Amino acid sequence: MKKLVLITLMSLQTIAVSAQQDPYLWLEEVDGVKAMEFVKTNNTKTFDQLKKNAKYSQLYNQSLTIINSKARIVYPSVTGEYVYNFWQDDQHVRGIWRRMLKSNYDKGATQWETLLDVDALANKEGKKWVFHGATPLYPGNGLYLISLSNGGGDANEIREFDVRTQQFVPNGITFPEAKSNIQYVDENTLLVATDFGPGTLTTSGYPKNVKLWKRGTPLSEAKVLLEGDPTDVFNSGSVYRDNDKSYIIINKSLSFYTRKLYWYANQELRAIPLPEDAALEGIKFGKALVQLKSDWEINQKIYTQGSLLAIDFEGLMQGNFAIDVLFKPTAVESLESVVTTKKWVVINVLNNVKSEVFLLGKGKDKWYQTKINAPAFGTINIVSANRESDDFYFTFENFLEPTSLYEFSAQNTTPKKVQGLPAFFEADKYQVEQYMARSTDGKEVPYFIISSKSTVRNGKNPTLLYGYGGFEVSMQPFYSGAMGALWLEQGGIYVLANIRGGGEFGPAWHQAGLKEKRQIVYDDFTAIAKDLIQRNITSPEHLGIMGGSNGGLLMGVAFTQHPELYNAVVCQVPLLDMQRYNKLLAGASWMGEYGNPDLPEEWKYIQNYSPYQNVKKGMKYPEVFFMTSTRDDRVHPGHARKMAAKMQDMGYKIYYYENVEGGHGGSSTNEQRAQWNALQYTYLLEKLKSN
């Protein structure tokens, strides 16, 4: 045993020494003078190169016109009798938060009551404020907690706002910048998870402790409901509302995918006896709505992974409960989302990566199900559900049909189209096909192709393959005016990969690529690339790839493992140094996905694909375009910086762009978004254009 411990310690020391020997560590200093000189120099090189292309100005102007279009959907957020909306355009660069009566919104009214002008606030306070949402005091129409980020990062400053006076509450609730989770229990009681000072954050940089705080008392005297462990991810408190009844639920997240849940009632915190990887989606009719991420054997019965269960909450806490199965997945069906209204449980189901929506109601003795007559063959997202009624709004879109907003009303069970985007490109010229590629283990992996109906399969078509493959995130059909106008109409083909690691076919599809099984995610992506080439749709000279965040890691692995397949790589806000990812910003929270590189047995498989460790001299890599943001406080910009610097020193030409604000999304304003689009599509057209 002593020998094993000694070997482990020596291995850990080797890893530590290796990290210390990294000659590019200085680029991890986010605002360091030398690091920012690197950013400025490379930004200038990239702009000088890409702005020479006559297409750049055209693409920028097209993108900005689309983004600033007044014809955009005005997305509703319903609270009480009002619809709230956040809006950005050329006159409101940082945006305005506004509201109108729902009755007027449903009539198509355009006169809004402006509540908060973020541009004016930013100018007044000299901050690059980015609006990150408003959390109401239930049932709303009065007090809100406003989240503001300086530069667009995940960390927010929180201030109390009164919509009745249209100003921040004098001497009201305020919290300094932190990655907080704060909710009203009632007007004078709040659940607070924030940075309480030294030792109160997890190793992932999120709150460790959860407190119950009374307005007007020192925060230091707030009642501690949960004192977590440093290795937890993000501990928080939530108020689950079941019509007039509310439940205070405390979440102790053991990893990104596992948690212990507690119910706080009668001055007591009690553990909720659910599997640690199960997700509590809500409480309705006194029933806990629980989605299983693995099979659960209870009371001599096995409930299937991916199922949605309704469990009597009080009975669950007493150890004597019945279980109703509300949804059971099939080989091609998975549960995408769950919301509740006054009398419905609304579930959004993916059927072979296309959405269907069902209403689940509770009868006297059993549940009953009704399928909504919603548009088919596309993606549906529930935008806003009003728990005080049975009305809710959802969007429908697919690759060629612009996004439309629908309202479902209990008075009219056929959804009514409320708004719709105009067409930003001529959809009639294009077609959508779905194919399957066979991966290395024989599994068939689906993907979508959007191409011109006149496409000739001659291997010369500029083709962009997009992928993500992680965190149970589903890649679904979507409408993008920018992608259509800036890529399809320029002669490009767009491909969307549904590789493992995502959630397209439920938890098992995701879990197939966790930790030591990660390579299959990259094999799936490679299989699709090869399938595109085999079908003579494109060839390596004309094939480019794109992905961001975890998808940026996918890009790094793709071009280091198979440089012969690609001629362009857009690597956005990426993870790349997988030896140090858990030490940078929120990285430690993702060890449930990738593994812990500090453990030799886990580093053994991570090191096989980590792009930063596997990039080599003398290879024929494509000229990669790295894109990131200085203010990204989720995925550290050091990943992109270090990889770019390392490749440059190896003699490779790369493109690099780092926006000085924008957070993990890369951009804060519409102008920045248009610039981001123009840069990446100009690059792709340069590299992949047909001869």
Side-chain angles (χ1 to χ4, degrees), residues 508-519:
W509 195 250
H510 167 234
Q511 293 165 12
L514 286 180
K515 294 188 175 182
E516 73 278 4
K517 298 176 282 188
R518 195 93 198 152
Q519 183 58 45

Side-chain angles (χ1 to χ4, degrees), residues 570-591:
V570 180
C571 188
Q572 305 165 327
V573 291
L575 287 90
L576 293 167
D577 182 356
M578 298 304 288
Q579 188 172 34
R580 284 181 54 74
Y581 86 91
N582 61 326
K583 297 176 176 61
L584 300 175
L585 298 176
S589 66
W590 308 319
M591 290 192 291

Side-chain angles (χ1 to χ4, degrees), residues 317-437:
M317 298 305 296
Q318 296 167 9
N320 182 20
F321 54 93
I323 298 177
D324 293 317
V325 178
L326 303 187
F327 171 81
K328 185 175 181 179
T330 68
V332 295
E333 288 183 320
S334 64
L335 183 65
E336 180 66 12
S337 66
V338 180
V339 299
T340 59
T341 65
K342 189 173 183 179
K343 68 176 182 180
W344 299 110
V345 175
V346 185
I347 63 171
N348 189 355
V349 173
L350 282 187
N351 186 342
N352 203 19
V353 205
K354 294 175 279 289
S355 298
E356 298 174 343
V357 177
F358 299 86
L359 302 178
L360 304 178
K362 181 72 168 67
K364 183 177 180 181
D365 300 314
K366 63 179 182 178
W367 291 77
Y368 54 93
Q369 175 178 291
T370 305
K371 184 178 179 180
I372 290 181
N373 185 25
F377 304 107
T379 298
I380 293 173
N381 287 302
I382 309 298
V383 174
S384 181
N386 186 358
R387 63 169 61 95
E388 297 165 56
S389 73
D390 288 309
D391 300 345
F392 62 89
Y393 295 90
F394 67 87
T395 57
F396 174 83
E397 61 188 305
N398 59 34
F399 294 112
L400 301 180
E401 186 173 344
T403 307
S404 294
L405 178 70
Y406 290 82
E407 181 184 18
F408 177 87
S409 170
Q411 283 71 43
N412 181 10
T413 55
T414 298
K416 179 181 73 172
K417 184 175 177 178
V418 179
Q419 298 175 42
L421 286 179
F424 290 108
F425 60 94
E426 294 182 39
D428 289 345
K429 297 190 299 185
Y430 303 98
Q431 61 187 357
V432 178
E433 299 167 285
Q434 190 177 30
Y435 290 114
M436 306 291 279

Side-chain angles (χ1 to χ4, degrees), residues 193 202-204 206-210 226-237 250-262 276-278 588-589:
T202 66
T203 53
S204 301
Y206 295 107
K208 181 165 69 78
N209 302 333
V210 183
L226 175 71
E227 190 165 351
D229 298 306
T231 53
D232 294 341
V233 176
F234 191 151
N235 297 335
S236 61
I250 306 300
N251 172 76
K252 176 180 165 64
S253 47
L254 307 175
S255 72
F256 205 84
Y257 303 111
T258 58
R259 65 204 60 81
K260 289 184 177 179
L261 297 176
Y262 301 88
E276 290 182 349
D277 64 347
S589 66

Side-chain angles (χ1 to χ4, degrees), residues 294-309:
S294 58
D295 289 351
W296 185 28
E297 185 174 359
I298 188 79
N299 297 333
Q300 298 181 324
K301 186 174 181 180
I302 296 176
Y303 294 90
T304 310
Q305 178 186 51
S307 296
L308 179 67
L309 310 179

Side-chain angles (χ1 to χ4, degrees), residues 38-109:
F38 171 88
V39 170
K40 183 178 179 181
T41 298
N42 280 280
N43 277 359
T44 300
K45 286 181 183 177
T46 294
F47 275 111
D48 288 348
Q49 176 66 32
L50 295 178
K51 283 189 174 181
K52 288 178 186 176
N53 191 309
K55 283 284 186 183
Y56 177 84
S57 294
Q58 173 197 333
L59 298 180
Y60 174 81
N61 290 331
Q62 279 184 287
S63 181
L64 187 60
T65 298
I66 291 168
I67 295 171
N68 276 336
S69 170
K70 296 293 193 293
R72 285 179 290 141
I73 291 174
V74 181
Y75 289 103
S77 176
V78 182
T79 307
E81 58 187 347
Y82 283 90
V83 164
Y84 292 78
N85 170 261
F86 181 71
W87 182 262
Q88 288 177 283
D89 58 25
D90 55 349
Q91 300 299 311
H92 307 97
V93 177
R94 297 199 173 272
I96 53 173
W97 184 49
R98 56 192 190 171
R99 74 172 182 174
M100 72 165 64
L101 287 169
K102 183 178 181 299
S103 56
N104 291 335
Y105 177 85
D106 290 340
K107 294 174 185 175

